[in-house]
PDB file of all heavy atoms in Angstrom:
ATOM      1  N   LYS X   1       5.909  -9.597   4.705  1.00 96.00           N
ATOM      2  CA  LYS X   1       4.486  -9.282   4.840  1.00 96.00           C
ATOM      3  C   LYS X   1       4.143  -7.966   4.152  1.00 96.00           C
ATOM      4  O   LYS X   1       3.070  -7.823   3.571  1.00 96.00           O
ATOM      5  CB  LYS X   1       4.100  -9.238   6.315  1.00 96.00           C
ATOM      6  CG  LYS X   1       4.149 -10.596   6.967  1.00 96.00           C
ATOM      7  CD  LYS X   1       3.790 -10.529   8.429  1.00 96.00           C
ATOM      8  CE  LYS X   1       3.879 -11.922   9.048  1.00 96.00           C
ATOM      9  NZ  LYS X   1       3.620 -11.895  10.494  1.00 96.00           N
ATOM     10  N   VAL X   2       5.061  -7.012   4.214  1.00 97.00           N
ATOM     11  CA  VAL X   2       4.832  -5.726   3.550  1.00 97.00           C
ATOM     12  C   VAL X   2       4.724  -5.933   2.042  1.00 97.00           C
ATOM     13  O   VAL X   2       3.801  -5.434   1.399  1.00 97.00           O
ATOM     14  CB  VAL X   2       5.945  -4.709   3.894  1.00 97.00           C
ATOM     15  CG1 VAL X   2       5.805  -3.443   3.061  1.00 97.00           C
ATOM     16  CG2 VAL X   2       5.934  -4.379   5.390  1.00 97.00           C
ATOM     17  N   VAL X   3       5.652  -6.684   1.475  1.00 97.00           N
ATOM     18  CA  VAL X   3       5.642  -6.950   0.030  1.00 97.00           C
ATOM     19  C   VAL X   3       4.363  -7.683  -0.364  1.00 97.00           C
ATOM     20  O   VAL X   3       3.729  -7.355  -1.378  1.00 97.00           O
ATOM     21  CB  VAL X   3       6.896  -7.741  -0.401  1.00 97.00           C
ATOM     22  CG1 VAL X   3       6.765  -8.267  -1.825  1.00 97.00           C
ATOM     23  CG2 VAL X   3       8.134  -6.874  -0.261  1.00 97.00           C
ATOM     24  N   GLU X   4       3.960  -8.642   0.424  1.00 98.00           N
ATOM     25  CA  GLU X   4       2.721  -9.378   0.151  1.00 98.00           C
ATOM     26  C   GLU X   4       1.526  -8.424   0.118  1.00 98.00           C
ATOM     27  O   GLU X   4       0.676  -8.502  -0.770  1.00 98.00           O
ATOM     28  CB  GLU X   4       2.515 -10.440   1.226  1.00 98.00           C
ATOM     29  CG  GLU X   4       1.283 -11.283   1.053  1.00 98.00           C
ATOM     30  CD  GLU X   4       1.186 -12.325   2.150  1.00 98.00           C
ATOM     31  OE1 GLU X   4       2.126 -13.124   2.299  1.00 98.00           O
ATOM     32  OE2 GLU X   4       0.158 -12.326   2.864  1.00 98.00           O
ATOM     33  N   ARG X   5       1.473  -7.503   1.055  1.00 98.00           N
ATOM     34  CA  ARG X   5       0.354  -6.548   1.124  1.00 98.00           C
ATOM     35  C   ARG X   5       0.368  -5.600  -0.066  1.00 98.00           C
ATOM     36  O   ARG X   5      -0.686  -5.270  -0.629  1.00 98.00           O
ATOM     37  CB  ARG X   5       0.396  -5.766   2.443  1.00 98.00           C
ATOM     38  CG  ARG X   5      -0.752  -4.819   2.616  1.00 98.00           C
ATOM     39  CD  ARG X   5      -2.086  -5.557   2.770  1.00 98.00           C
ATOM     40  NE  ARG X   5      -3.175  -4.598   2.798  1.00 98.00           N
ATOM     41  CZ  ARG X   5      -4.093  -4.475   1.848  1.00 98.00           C
ATOM     42  NH1 ARG X   5      -4.092  -5.283   0.799  1.00 98.00           N
ATOM     43  NH2 ARG X   5      -5.022  -3.555   1.939  1.00 98.00           N
ATOM     44  N   VAL X   6       1.547  -5.133  -0.476  1.00 98.00           N
ATOM     45  CA  VAL X   6       1.657  -4.265  -1.652  1.00 98.00           C
ATOM     46  C   VAL X   6       1.094  -4.972  -2.874  1.00 98.00           C
ATOM     47  O   VAL X   6       0.302  -4.405  -3.640  1.00 98.00           O
ATOM     48  CB  VAL X   6       3.125  -3.850  -1.892  1.00 98.00           C
ATOM     49  CG1 VAL X   6       3.304  -3.206  -3.265  1.00 98.00           C
ATOM     50  CG2 VAL X   6       3.614  -2.922  -0.789  1.00 98.00           C
ATOM     51  N   ARG X   7       1.465  -6.214  -3.056  1.00 98.00           N
ATOM     52  CA  ARG X   7       0.974  -6.980  -4.210  1.00 98.00           C
ATOM     53  C   ARG X   7      -0.539  -7.178  -4.148  1.00 98.00           C
ATOM     54  O   ARG X   7      -1.208  -7.158  -5.181  1.00 98.00           O
ATOM     55  CB  ARG X   7       1.712  -8.304  -4.308  1.00 98.00           C
ATOM     56  CG  ARG X   7       3.157  -8.111  -4.759  1.00 98.00           C
ATOM     57  CD  ARG X   7       3.849  -9.411  -5.041  1.00 98.00           C
ATOM     58  NE  ARG X   7       5.147  -9.164  -5.654  1.00 98.00           N
ATOM     59  CZ  ARG X   7       6.266  -9.766  -5.291  1.00 98.00           C
ATOM     60  NH1 ARG X   7       6.259 -10.672  -4.327  1.00 98.00           N
ATOM     61  NH2 ARG X   7       7.400  -9.479  -5.899  1.00 98.00           N
ATOM     62  N   GLU X   8      -1.079  -7.363  -2.954  1.00 97.00           N
ATOM     63  CA  GLU X   8      -2.532  -7.492  -2.813  1.00 97.00           C
ATOM     64  C   GLU X   8      -3.245  -6.216  -3.254  1.00 97.00           C
ATOM     65  O   GLU X   8      -4.270  -6.283  -3.940  1.00 97.00           O
ATOM     66  CB  GLU X   8      -2.907  -7.794  -1.357  1.00 97.00           C
ATOM     67  CG  GLU X   8      -2.588  -9.197  -0.922  1.00 97.00           C
ATOM     68  CD  GLU X   8      -2.817  -9.411   0.570  1.00 97.00           C
ATOM     69  OE1 GLU X   8      -3.167  -8.452   1.299  1.00 97.00           O
ATOM     70  OE2 GLU X   8      -2.634 -10.563   1.021  1.00 97.00           O
ATOM     71  N   VAL X   9      -2.738  -5.056  -2.853  1.00 97.00           N
ATOM     72  CA  VAL X   9      -3.363  -3.786  -3.246  1.00 97.00           C
ATOM     73  C   VAL X   9      -3.394  -3.664  -4.765  1.00 97.00           C
ATOM     74  O   VAL X   9      -4.419  -3.313  -5.353  1.00 97.00           O
ATOM     75  CB  VAL X   9      -2.634  -2.582  -2.616  1.00 97.00           C
ATOM     76  CG1 VAL X   9      -3.135  -1.261  -3.203  1.00 97.00           C
ATOM     77  CG2 VAL X   9      -2.808  -2.579  -1.096  1.00 97.00           C
ATOM     78  N   ILE X  10      -2.293  -3.995  -5.409  1.00 96.00           N
ATOM     79  CA  ILE X  10      -2.219  -3.873  -6.869  1.00 96.00           C
ATOM     80  C   ILE X  10      -3.153  -4.874  -7.552  1.00 96.00           C
ATOM     81  O   ILE X  10      -3.848  -4.538  -8.509  1.00 96.00           O
ATOM     82  CB  ILE X  10      -0.775  -4.053  -7.369  1.00 96.00           C
ATOM     83  CG1 ILE X  10       0.115  -2.927  -6.832  1.00 96.00           C
ATOM     84  CG2 ILE X  10      -0.729  -4.083  -8.903  1.00 96.00           C
ATOM     85  CD1 ILE X  10       1.590  -3.159  -7.047  1.00 96.00           C
ATOM     86  N   ALA X  11      -3.190  -6.092  -7.057  1.00 95.00           N
ATOM     87  CA  ALA X  11      -3.975  -7.150  -7.707  1.00 95.00           C
ATOM     88  C   ALA X  11      -5.467  -7.051  -7.422  1.00 95.00           C
ATOM     89  O   ALA X  11      -6.282  -7.365  -8.285  1.00 95.00           O
ATOM     90  CB  ALA X  11      -3.461  -8.523  -7.257  1.00 95.00           C
ATOM     91  N   GLU X  12      -5.843  -6.608  -6.230  1.00 94.00           N
ATOM     92  CA  GLU X  12      -7.240  -6.682  -5.825  1.00 94.00           C
ATOM     93  C   GLU X  12      -8.016  -5.386  -6.021  1.00 94.00           C
ATOM     94  O   GLU X  12      -9.232  -5.416  -6.148  1.00 94.00           O
ATOM     95  CB  GLU X  12      -7.325  -7.117  -4.354  1.00 94.00           C
ATOM     96  CG  GLU X  12      -6.793  -8.524  -4.147  1.00 94.00           C
ATOM     97  CD  GLU X  12      -6.698  -8.917  -2.687  1.00 94.00           C
ATOM     98  OE1 GLU X  12      -7.130  -8.148  -1.805  1.00 94.00           O
ATOM     99  OE2 GLU X  12      -6.169 -10.015  -2.424  1.00 94.00           O
ATOM    100  N   ASP X  13      -7.356  -4.255  -5.999  1.00 91.00           N
ATOM    101  CA  ASP X  13      -8.030  -2.964  -6.150  1.00 91.00           C
ATOM    102  C   ASP X  13      -7.913  -2.489  -7.593  1.00 91.00           C
ATOM    103  O   ASP X  13      -7.148  -3.042  -8.386  1.00 91.00           O
ATOM    104  CB  ASP X  13      -7.432  -1.919  -5.201  1.00 91.00           C
ATOM    105  CG  ASP X  13      -7.645  -2.284  -3.737  1.00 91.00           C
ATOM    106  OD1 ASP X  13      -8.608  -3.001  -3.430  1.00 91.00           O
ATOM    107  OD2 ASP X  13      -6.836  -1.843  -2.909  1.00 91.00           O
ATOM    108  N   THR X  14      -8.669  -1.449  -7.921  1.00 93.00           N
ATOM    109  CA  THR X  14      -8.601  -0.841  -9.245  1.00 93.00           C
ATOM    110  C   THR X  14      -8.521   0.673  -9.079  1.00 93.00           C
ATOM    111  O   THR X  14      -9.313   1.250  -8.342  1.00 93.00           O
ATOM    112  CB  THR X  14      -9.848  -1.202 -10.083  1.00 93.00           C
ATOM    113  OG1 THR X  14      -9.920  -2.619 -10.199  1.00 93.00           O
ATOM    114  CG2 THR X  14      -9.761  -0.602 -11.471  1.00 93.00           C
ATOM    115  N   PHE X  15      -7.576   1.288  -9.780  1.00 93.00           N
ATOM    116  CA  PHE X  15      -7.367   2.732  -9.690  1.00 93.00           C
ATOM    117  C   PHE X  15      -7.274   3.326 -11.083  1.00 93.00           C
ATOM    118  O   PHE X  15      -6.746   2.695 -12.004  1.00 93.00           O
ATOM    119  CB  PHE X  15      -6.066   3.044  -8.941  1.00 93.00           C
ATOM    120  CG  PHE X  15      -5.985   2.413  -7.579  1.00 93.00           C
ATOM    121  CD1 PHE X  15      -5.251   1.263  -7.380  1.00 93.00           C
ATOM    122  CD2 PHE X  15      -6.660   2.967  -6.508  1.00 93.00           C
ATOM    123  CE1 PHE X  15      -5.174   0.672  -6.125  1.00 93.00           C
ATOM    124  CE2 PHE X  15      -6.600   2.387  -5.248  1.00 93.00           C
ATOM    125  CZ  PHE X  15      -5.852   1.233  -5.058  1.00 93.00           C
ATOM    126  N   ASP X  16      -7.740   4.541 -11.224  1.00 92.00           N
ATOM    127  CA  ASP X  16      -7.514   5.294 -12.455  1.00 92.00           C
ATOM    128  C   ASP X  16      -6.099   5.852 -12.476  1.00 92.00           C
ATOM    129  O   ASP X  16      -5.434   5.839 -13.506  1.00 92.00           O
ATOM    130  CB  ASP X  16      -8.511   6.449 -12.592  1.00 92.00           C
ATOM    131  CG  ASP X  16      -9.920   5.978 -12.961  1.00 92.00           C
ATOM    132  OD1 ASP X  16     -10.100   4.796 -13.327  1.00 92.00           O
ATOM    133  OD2 ASP X  16     -10.840   6.808 -12.886  1.00 92.00           O
ATOM    134  N   LEU X  17      -5.653   6.352 -11.329  1.00 93.00           N
ATOM    135  CA  LEU X  17      -4.379   7.066 -11.246  1.00 93.00           C
ATOM    136  C   LEU X  17      -3.340   6.298 -10.431  1.00 93.00           C
ATOM    137  O   LEU X  17      -3.672   5.751  -9.366  1.00 93.00           O
ATOM    138  CB  LEU X  17      -4.582   8.436 -10.594  1.00 93.00           C
ATOM    139  CG  LEU X  17      -5.605   9.360 -11.235  1.00 93.00           C
ATOM    140  CD1 LEU X  17      -5.749  10.627 -10.401  1.00 93.00           C
ATOM    141  CD2 LEU X  17      -5.209   9.685 -12.671  1.00 93.00           C
ATOM    142  N   ILE X  18      -2.089   6.327 -10.891  1.00 94.00           N
ATOM    143  CA  ILE X  18      -1.023   5.710 -10.097  1.00 94.00           C
ATOM    144  C   ILE X  18      -0.765   6.529  -8.828  1.00 94.00           C
ATOM    145  O   ILE X  18      -0.263   5.991  -7.848  1.00 94.00           O
ATOM    146  CB  ILE X  18       0.268   5.488 -10.910  1.00 94.00           C
ATOM    147  CG1 ILE X  18       0.805   6.778 -11.518  1.00 94.00           C
ATOM    148  CG2 ILE X  18       0.039   4.422 -11.971  1.00 94.00           C
ATOM    149  CD1 ILE X  18       2.155   6.617 -12.216  1.00 94.00           C
ATOM    150  N   GLU X  19      -1.150   7.797  -8.836  1.00 96.00           N
ATOM    151  CA  GLU X  19      -1.028   8.614  -7.632  1.00 96.00           C
ATOM    152  C   GLU X  19      -1.910   8.055  -6.515  1.00 96.00           C
ATOM    153  O   GLU X  19      -1.504   7.977  -5.349  1.00 96.00           O
ATOM    154  CB  GLU X  19      -1.429  10.066  -7.914  1.00 96.00           C
ATOM    155  CG  GLU X  19      -0.516  10.799  -8.868  1.00 96.00           C
ATOM    156  CD  GLU X  19      -0.909  10.677 -10.346  1.00 96.00           C
ATOM    157  OE1 GLU X  19      -1.483   9.630 -10.760  1.00 96.00           O
ATOM    158  OE2 GLU X  19      -0.642  11.629 -11.099  1.00 96.00           O
ATOM    159  N   THR X  20      -3.127   7.655  -6.876  1.00 96.00           N
ATOM    160  CA  THR X  20      -4.050   7.071  -5.904  1.00 96.00           C
ATOM    161  C   THR X  20      -3.551   5.713  -5.445  1.00 96.00           C
ATOM    162  O   THR X  20      -3.632   5.370  -4.262  1.00 96.00           O
ATOM    163  CB  THR X  20      -5.463   6.945  -6.507  1.00 96.00           C
ATOM    164  OG1 THR X  20      -5.851   8.204  -7.045  1.00 96.00           O
ATOM    165  CG2 THR X  20      -6.467   6.497  -5.471  1.00 96.00           C
ATOM    166  N   MET X  21      -3.016   4.921  -6.364  1.00 97.00           N
ATOM    167  CA  MET X  21      -2.452   3.631  -5.994  1.00 97.00           C
ATOM    168  C   MET X  21      -1.319   3.811  -4.997  1.00 97.00           C
ATOM    169  O   MET X  21      -1.245   3.094  -3.985  1.00 97.00           O
ATOM    170  CB  MET X  21      -1.938   2.881  -7.232  1.00 97.00           C
ATOM    171  CG  MET X  21      -1.386   1.495  -6.895  1.00 97.00           C
ATOM    172  SD  MET X  21      -0.465   0.708  -8.236  1.00 97.00           S
ATOM    173  CE  MET X  21      -1.679   0.614  -9.517  1.00 97.00           C
ATOM    174  N   ALA X  22      -0.434   4.773  -5.253  1.00 98.00           N
ATOM    175  CA  ALA X  22       0.685   5.030  -4.345  1.00 98.00           C
ATOM    176  C   ALA X  22       0.179   5.405  -2.954  1.00 98.00           C
ATOM    177  O   ALA X  22       0.712   4.943  -1.939  1.00 98.00           O
ATOM    178  CB  ALA X  22       1.583   6.129  -4.909  1.00 98.00           C
ATOM    179  N   GLU X  23      -0.867   6.222  -2.891  1.00 98.00           N
ATOM    180  CA  GLU X  23      -1.426   6.619  -1.603  1.00 98.00           C
ATOM    181  C   GLU X  23      -2.009   5.417  -0.853  1.00 98.00           C
ATOM    182  O   GLU X  23      -1.800   5.264   0.359  1.00 98.00           O
ATOM    183  CB  GLU X  23      -2.501   7.680  -1.788  1.00 98.00           C
ATOM    184  CG  GLU X  23      -3.100   8.146  -0.480  1.00 98.00           C
ATOM    185  CD  GLU X  23      -4.122   9.260  -0.649  1.00 98.00           C
ATOM    186  OE1 GLU X  23      -4.565   9.530  -1.786  1.00 98.00           O
ATOM    187  OE2 GLU X  23      -4.482   9.849   0.376  1.00 98.00           O
ATOM    188  N   GLU X  24      -2.732   4.551  -1.548  1.00 98.00           N
ATOM    189  CA  GLU X  24      -3.322   3.381  -0.899  1.00 98.00           C
ATOM    190  C   GLU X  24      -2.248   2.413  -0.410  1.00 98.00           C
ATOM    191  O   GLU X  24      -2.377   1.808   0.659  1.00 98.00           O
ATOM    192  CB  GLU X  24      -4.307   2.685  -1.829  1.00 98.00           C
ATOM    193  CG  GLU X  24      -5.573   3.477  -2.056  1.00 98.00           C
ATOM    194  CD  GLU X  24      -6.302   3.826  -0.756  1.00 98.00           C
ATOM    195  OE1 GLU X  24      -6.524   2.916   0.071  1.00 98.00           O
ATOM    196  OE2 GLU X  24      -6.647   5.008  -0.572  1.00 98.00           O
ATOM    197  N   ILE X  25      -1.188   2.273  -1.174  1.00 98.00           N
ATOM    198  CA  ILE X  25      -0.085   1.414  -0.744  1.00 98.00           C
ATOM    199  C   ILE X  25       0.594   2.030   0.476  1.00 98.00           C
ATOM    200  O   ILE X  25       0.936   1.315   1.429  1.00 98.00           O
ATOM    201  CB  ILE X  25       0.909   1.177  -1.897  1.00 98.00           C
ATOM    202  CG1 ILE X  25       0.255   0.305  -2.978  1.00 98.00           C
ATOM    203  CG2 ILE X  25       2.199   0.525  -1.385  1.00 98.00           C
ATOM    204  CD1 ILE X  25       1.050   0.199  -4.255  1.00 98.00           C
ATOM    205  N   ALA X  26       0.774   3.346   0.484  1.00 98.00           N
ATOM    206  CA  ALA X  26       1.380   4.012   1.643  1.00 98.00           C
ATOM    207  C   ALA X  26       0.522   3.806   2.884  1.00 98.00           C
ATOM    208  O   ALA X  26       1.038   3.532   3.977  1.00 98.00           O
ATOM    209  CB  ALA X  26       1.582   5.496   1.359  1.00 98.00           C
ATOM    210  N   LYS X  27      -0.796   3.922   2.744  1.00 98.00           N
ATOM    211  CA  LYS X  27      -1.703   3.675   3.876  1.00 98.00           C
ATOM    212  C   LYS X  27      -1.540   2.247   4.392  1.00 98.00           C
ATOM    213  O   LYS X  27      -1.530   2.009   5.600  1.00 98.00           O
ATOM    214  CB  LYS X  27      -3.155   3.923   3.463  1.00 98.00           C
ATOM    215  CG  LYS X  27      -3.506   5.374   3.281  1.00 98.00           C
ATOM    216  CD  LYS X  27      -4.956   5.498   2.812  1.00 98.00           C
ATOM    217  CE  LYS X  27      -5.344   6.914   2.488  1.00 98.00           C
ATOM    218  NZ  LYS X  27      -6.729   6.994   1.953  1.00 98.00           N
ATOM    219  N   ALA X  28      -1.449   1.297   3.481  1.00 98.00           N
ATOM    220  CA  ALA X  28      -1.273  -0.097   3.880  1.00 98.00           C
ATOM    221  C   ALA X  28       0.046  -0.285   4.623  1.00 98.00           C
ATOM    222  O   ALA X  28       0.109  -1.005   5.626  1.00 98.00           O
ATOM    223  CB  ALA X  28      -1.336  -1.013   2.656  1.00 98.00           C
ATOM    224  N   CYS X  29       1.096   0.379   4.166  1.00 98.00           N
ATOM    225  CA  CYS X  29       2.418   0.238   4.793  1.00 98.00           C
ATOM    226  C   CYS X  29       2.438   0.802   6.207  1.00 98.00           C
ATOM    227  O   CYS X  29       2.987   0.176   7.118  1.00 98.00           O
ATOM    228  CB  CYS X  29       3.489   0.908   3.945  1.00 98.00           C
ATOM    229  SG  CYS X  29       3.857   0.031   2.413  1.00 98.00           S
ATOM    230  N   ILE X  30       1.852   1.985   6.392  1.00 97.00           N
ATOM    231  CA  ILE X  30       1.897   2.563   7.735  1.00 97.00           C
ATOM    232  C   ILE X  30       0.935   1.861   8.687  1.00 97.00           C
ATOM    233  O   ILE X  30       0.971   2.105   9.898  1.00 97.00           O
ATOM    234  CB  ILE X  30       1.684   4.102   7.738  1.00 97.00           C
ATOM    235  CG1 ILE X  30       0.332   4.494   7.175  1.00 97.00           C
ATOM    236  CG2 ILE X  30       2.823   4.801   7.010  1.00 97.00           C
ATOM    237  CD1 ILE X  30       0.021   5.971   7.314  1.00 97.00           C
ATOM    238  N   GLY X  31       0.147   0.955   8.165  1.00 96.00           N
ATOM    239  CA  GLY X  31      -0.698   0.128   9.006  1.00 96.00           C
ATOM    240  C   GLY X  31       0.064  -0.991   9.706  1.00 96.00           C
ATOM    241  O   GLY X  31      -0.448  -1.624  10.630  1.00 96.00           O
ATOM    242  N   PHE X  32       1.296  -1.241   9.290  1.00 95.00           N
ATOM    243  CA  PHE X  32       2.119  -2.270   9.921  1.00 95.00           C
ATOM    244  C   PHE X  32       2.763  -1.726  11.190  1.00 95.00           C
ATOM    245  O   PHE X  32       3.196  -0.563  11.230  1.00 95.00           O
ATOM    246  CB  PHE X  32       3.221  -2.750   8.968  1.00 95.00           C
ATOM    247  CG  PHE X  32       2.738  -3.704   7.923  1.00 95.00           C
ATOM    248  CD1 PHE X  32       2.300  -3.242   6.697  1.00 95.00           C
ATOM    249  CD2 PHE X  32       2.715  -5.068   8.165  1.00 95.00           C
ATOM    250  CE1 PHE X  32       1.845  -4.113   5.727  1.00 95.00           C
ATOM    251  CE2 PHE X  32       2.264  -5.952   7.209  1.00 95.00           C
ATOM    252  CZ  PHE X  32       1.826  -5.477   5.979  1.00 95.00           C
ATOM    253  N   ASP X  33       2.833  -2.593  12.209  1.00 91.00           N
ATOM    254  CA  ASP X  33       3.562  -2.216  13.417  1.00 91.00           C
ATOM    255  C   ASP X  33       4.987  -1.835  13.048  1.00 91.00           C
ATOM    256  O   ASP X  33       5.587  -2.448  12.159  1.00 91.00           O
ATOM    257  CB  ASP X  33       3.609  -3.389  14.407  1.00 91.00           C
ATOM    258  CG  ASP X  33       2.267  -3.643  15.060  1.00 91.00           C
ATOM    259  OD1 ASP X  33       1.422  -2.729  15.064  1.00 91.00           O
ATOM    260  OD2 ASP X  33       2.071  -4.761  15.563  1.00 91.00           O
ATOM    261  N   ARG X  34       5.473  -0.832  13.706  1.00 95.00           N
ATOM    262  CA  ARG X  34       6.849  -0.340  13.580  1.00 95.00           C
ATOM    263  C   ARG X  34       7.111   0.518  12.358  1.00 95.00           C
ATOM    264  O   ARG X  34       8.163   1.103  12.228  1.00 95.00           O
ATOM    265  CB  ARG X  34       7.856  -1.474  13.664  1.00 95.00           C
ATOM    266  CG  ARG X  34       7.760  -2.252  14.978  1.00 95.00           C
ATOM    267  CD  ARG X  34       8.998  -3.077  15.199  1.00 95.00           C
ATOM    268  NE  ARG X  34       8.929  -3.794  16.434  1.00 95.00           N
ATOM    269  CZ  ARG X  34       9.379  -3.336  17.610  1.00 95.00           C
ATOM    270  NH1 ARG X  34       9.894  -2.153  17.690  1.00 95.00           N
ATOM    271  NH2 ARG X  34       9.296  -4.075  18.695  1.00 95.00           N
ATOM    272  N   VAL X  35       6.176   0.607  11.406  1.00 97.00           N
ATOM    273  CA  VAL X  35       6.361   1.509  10.260  1.00 97.00           C
ATOM    274  C   VAL X  35       5.811   2.876  10.646  1.00 97.00           C
ATOM    275  O   VAL X  35       4.623   3.034  10.901  1.00 97.00           O
ATOM    276  CB  VAL X  35       5.667   0.984   8.989  1.00 97.00           C
ATOM    277  CG1 VAL X  35       5.804   1.989   7.837  1.00 97.00           C
ATOM    278  CG2 VAL X  35       6.248  -0.370   8.577  1.00 97.00           C
ATOM    279  N   MET X  36       6.702   3.854  10.698  1.00 96.00           N
ATOM    280  CA  MET X  36       6.332   5.201  11.130  1.00 96.00           C
ATOM    281  C   MET X  36       6.033   6.131   9.961  1.00 96.00           C
ATOM    282  O   MET X  36       5.272   7.078  10.090  1.00 96.00           O
ATOM    283  CB  MET X  36       7.471   5.807  11.974  1.00 96.00           C
ATOM    284  CG  MET X  36       7.937   4.912  13.118  1.00 96.00           C
ATOM    285  SD  MET X  36       6.596   4.330  14.168  1.00 96.00           S
ATOM    286  CE  MET X  36       6.047   5.846  14.869  1.00 96.00           C
ATOM    287  N   ARG X  37       6.659   5.876   8.832  1.00 98.00           N
ATOM    288  CA  ARG X  37       6.511   6.734   7.659  1.00 98.00           C
ATOM    289  C   ARG X  37       6.789   5.879   6.427  1.00 98.00           C
ATOM    290  O   ARG X  37       7.645   5.004   6.451  1.00 98.00           O
ATOM    291  CB  ARG X  37       7.501   7.890   7.753  1.00 98.00           C
ATOM    292  CG  ARG X  37       7.365   8.936   6.673  1.00 98.00           C
ATOM    293  CD  ARG X  37       8.422  10.049   6.947  1.00 98.00           C
ATOM    294  NE  ARG X  37       8.183  11.190   6.150  1.00 98.00           N
ATOM    295  CZ  ARG X  37       7.410  12.226   6.497  1.00 98.00           C
ATOM    296  NH1 ARG X  37       6.831  12.254   7.662  1.00 98.00           N
ATOM    297  NH2 ARG X  37       7.255  13.250   5.688  1.00 98.00           N
ATOM    298  N   ALA X  38       6.055   6.147   5.365  1.00 98.00           N
ATOM    299  CA  ALA X  38       6.243   5.373   4.133  1.00 98.00           C
ATOM    300  C   ALA X  38       6.253   6.302   2.926  1.00 98.00           C
ATOM    301  O   ALA X  38       5.349   7.117   2.766  1.00 98.00           O
ATOM    302  CB  ALA X  38       5.122   4.347   3.985  1.00 98.00           C
ATOM    303  N   THR X  39       7.277   6.164   2.117  1.00 98.00           N
ATOM    304  CA  THR X  39       7.302   6.798   0.807  1.00 98.00           C
ATOM    305  C   THR X  39       7.183   5.685  -0.220  1.00 98.00           C
ATOM    306  O   THR X  39       7.958   4.722  -0.197  1.00 98.00           O
ATOM    307  CB  THR X  39       8.585   7.608   0.572  1.00 98.00           C
ATOM    308  OG1 THR X  39       8.639   8.664   1.535  1.00 98.00           O
ATOM    309  CG2 THR X  39       8.620   8.197  -0.838  1.00 98.00           C
TER     310      THR X  39
END
């Protein structure tokens, strides 16, 4: 489910910077139960 969500962020959103993309993916990851920290 985490991998599926990462792919959705990349496919559905648009970013100028990969830094912003990384932040949005991290937010999505810590939204999952049991994920306490995401790099």
Side-chain angles (χ1 to χ4, degrees):
K1 291 179 181 176
V2 172
V3 168
E4 181 179 303
R5 183 67 186 112
V6 168
R7 288 188 172 134
E8 287 173 357
V9 171
I10 296 169
E12 295 173 5
D13 296 334
T14 301
F15 305 101
D16 286 348
L17 304 176
I18 57 174
E19 294 90 329
T20 308
M21 182 192 300
E23 181 177 13
E24 290 304 310
I25 291 170
K27 287 178 185 176
C29 289
I30 61 173
F32 282 91
D33 288 340
R34 301 197 179 269
V35 176
M36 308 308 295
R37 186 179 192 90
T39 298

